[in-house]
């Protein structure tokens, strides 16, 4: 799939490879931070943190993306049960995070290996405060290792505010603003490409469909990560795709109700959570869809399109534009 065309993102990718390469070294821990401390406001109250943290552990993969984009030295990170930790969608092009210490390889927020956290000797830990409050329950153990900041995370739409908040914690607000402008420019660029090739984006109706399992499909609403990007570009959504299921950012349907996902252009998402998902769409119930008949169905990677972070957002905006301008081949 196409990578973002943002020059700044590519430059950041080259820089981060150097930064990640040093993460496994035996650098000094909390006592190694220089330059005094600052007090930051967090979900767990006011926290005194190093003014210039040198070794940061992050307990949420979107936090990894934010910290890397802002130039922090990440010493350890939460990962995913997959063999590579599922880090690639949270890093710039060319970086795979192989040198990062994964301190949690579980989908459960509180399944953190405290021994690994301590072993990398962080001078700052950044976690999240979600609805279930799992990491808040670990605060005493985490704070015994290093100053710990929990940032509120309410859902996949939180990624932009999260980037700014991580910037506050790290004292890198100016870089966070530059990252925000990168995204704004990427959206504007995607919109301009679509306008030039296909006309007003508001007249291009798109559907975002996740293949969750053999029994369930999910229609991503504007409250979702990819849905929010489509909205920022100005793309239209089918009637009935705006209202999510209670407490969610998607609408759950069965494969038998696939026609409810139809649109001018259909993006079909599957990823590592559903390895048996098809890669092409043209037979069976799919053949009934207008988007399939018009050859306007595109397969995309949910591991990226659901990653809720800055680097993934740049890719999603680019891939949406590539499909709507005919630069991508349909999945038929």
């Amino acid at each position: 799939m196409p990578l973002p065309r943002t020059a700044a993102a590519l430059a950041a990718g080259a820089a981060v490879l150097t930064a990640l390469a040093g993460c496994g070294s035996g650098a000094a821990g909390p006592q190694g931070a220089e330059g005094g401390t600052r007090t930051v406001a967090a979900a767990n109250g006011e926290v005194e943190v190093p003014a210039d943290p040198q070794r940061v552990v992050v307990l949420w993969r979107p936090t990894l993306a934010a910290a890397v984009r802002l130039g922090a030295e990440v010493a350890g990170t939460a990962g995913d049960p997959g063999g590579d930790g599922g880090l690639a969608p949270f890093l710039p092009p060319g970086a795979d995070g192989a040198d990062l210490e994964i301190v949690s390889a579980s989908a459960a927020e509180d399944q953190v290996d405290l021994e690994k956290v301590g072993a990398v000797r962080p001078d700052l830990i950044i976690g999240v405060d979600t609805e279930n409050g799992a990491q808040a329950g670990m605060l005493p153990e985490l704070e015994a290792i290093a100053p710990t900041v929990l940032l509120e995370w309410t859902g996949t739409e939180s990624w932009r505010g999260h980037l700014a908040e991580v910037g506050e914690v790290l004292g890198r607000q100016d870089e966070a603003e530059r990252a925000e402008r990168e995204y704004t420019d990427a959206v504007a660029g995607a919109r301009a490409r679509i306008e030039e090739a296909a006309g007003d984006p508001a007249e291009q109706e798109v559907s975002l469909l996740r293949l969750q399992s053999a029994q369930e499909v999910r229609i991503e609403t504007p409250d979702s990560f990819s849905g929010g990007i489509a909205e920022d570009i100005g793309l239209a959504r089918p009637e009935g795709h705006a209202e999510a299921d209670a407490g969610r950012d998607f609408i759950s349907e069965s494969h038998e109700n696939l026609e409810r996902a139809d649109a001018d252009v259909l993006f079909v998402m599957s990823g590592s959570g559903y390895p048996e998902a098809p890669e092409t769409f043209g037979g069976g119930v799919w053949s009934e869809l207008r988007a399939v008949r018009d050859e306007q169905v595109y397969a995309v990677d949910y591991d990226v399109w659901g990653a809720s972070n800055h680097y993934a957002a740049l890719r999603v905006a680019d891939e949406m534009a590539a499909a709507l301008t005919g630069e991508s081949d349909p999945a038929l």
Side-chain angles (χ1 to χ4, degrees):
M1 289 186 283
L3 293 175
R5 303 172 183 212
T6 310
L10 295 174
V16 78
L17 286 172
T18 302
L20 290 179
C23 290
S25 66
Q31 70 275 17
E34 299 178 357
T37 62
R38 294 178 294 110
T39 300
V40 298
N44 55 315
E46 293 191 340
V47 182
E48 189 175 0
V49 302
D52 184 21
Q54 300 298 302
R55 293 179 62 77
V56 182
V57 164
V58 296
L59 304 181
W60 196 244
R61 285 183 297 167
T63 312
L64 169 65
V68 168
R69 172 59 190 84
L70 299 178
E73 183 81 8
V74 178
T77 181
D80 206 45
D84 62 355
L87 299 183
F90 300 86
L91 295 170
D96 61 8
D99 293 316
L100 284 168
E101 180 70 31
I102 295 179
V103 301
S104 170
S106 169
E109 296 168 27
D110 57 349
Q111 294 300 305
V112 177
D113 189 325
L114 295 171
E115 288 188 7
K116 286 186 176 181
V117 173
V120 299
R121 297 188 293 169
D123 55 13
L124 176 64
I125 299 170
I126 306 177
V128 288
D129 183 28
T130 64
E131 185 178 4
N132 67 33
Q135 290 184 4
M138 300 179 61
L139 264 176
E141 293 88 349
L142 294 169
E143 290 174 334
I145 298 172
T148 301
V149 173
L150 298 185
L151 299 176
E152 185 178 19
W153 183 276
T154 59
T156 55
E157 83 291 344
S158 298
W159 70 274
R160 294 176 73 175
H162 191 69
L163 179 63
E165 290 169 354
V166 174
E168 292 281 347
V169 172
L170 296 175
R172 304 190 182 200
Q173 296 91 331
D174 290 348
E175 196 60 39
E177 290 176 5
R178 281 190 282 272
E180 174 66 23
R181 288 195 294 272
E182 282 177 6
Y183 172 70
T184 301
D185 290 347
V187 165
R191 187 184 303 117
R193 289 162 60 194
I194 294 166
E195 287 174 345
E196 182 177 355
D200 187 354
E203 296 180 0
Q204 311 295 316
E205 185 184 72
V206 302
S207 178
L208 309 170
L209 180 69
R210 178 183 180 184
L211 302 184
Q212 178 68 10
S213 70
Q215 293 75 39
E216 181 188 10
V217 296
R218 295 179 176 180
I219 298 170
E220 302 283 308
T221 70
D223 288 337
S224 70
F225 174 58
S226 57
I229 296 170
E231 189 169 53
D232 287 345
I233 293 173
L235 296 166
R237 303 298 304 279
E239 185 177 353
H241 285 204
E243 192 68 30
D245 292 347
R248 298 175 173 178
D249 59 9
F250 59 85
I251 302 164
S252 179
E253 293 284 1
S254 66
H255 284 261
E256 289 74 15
N257 292 324
L258 195 60
E259 75 281 355
R260 297 180 185 175
D262 207 359
D264 296 335
V265 178
L266 174 61
F267 293 99
V268 182
M269 310 175 199
S270 58
S272 57
Y274 183 18
E276 297 83 14
E279 297 180 357
T280 60
F281 311 92
V285 292
W286 293 96
S287 63
E288 303 295 323
L289 302 183
R290 169 167 46 95
V292 173
R293 293 197 302 270
D294 293 343
E295 298 187 354
Q296 290 297 307
V297 55
Y298 298 89
V300 295
D301 185 357
Y302 181 75
D303 289 352
V304 174
W305 281 53
S308 299
N309 75 85
H310 174 77
Y311 295 118
L314 298 180
R315 285 187 59 176
V316 172
D318 181 69
E319 290 170 12
M320 284 183 176
L324 289 161
T325 57
E327 300 169 28
S328 295
D329 294 328
L332 295 171

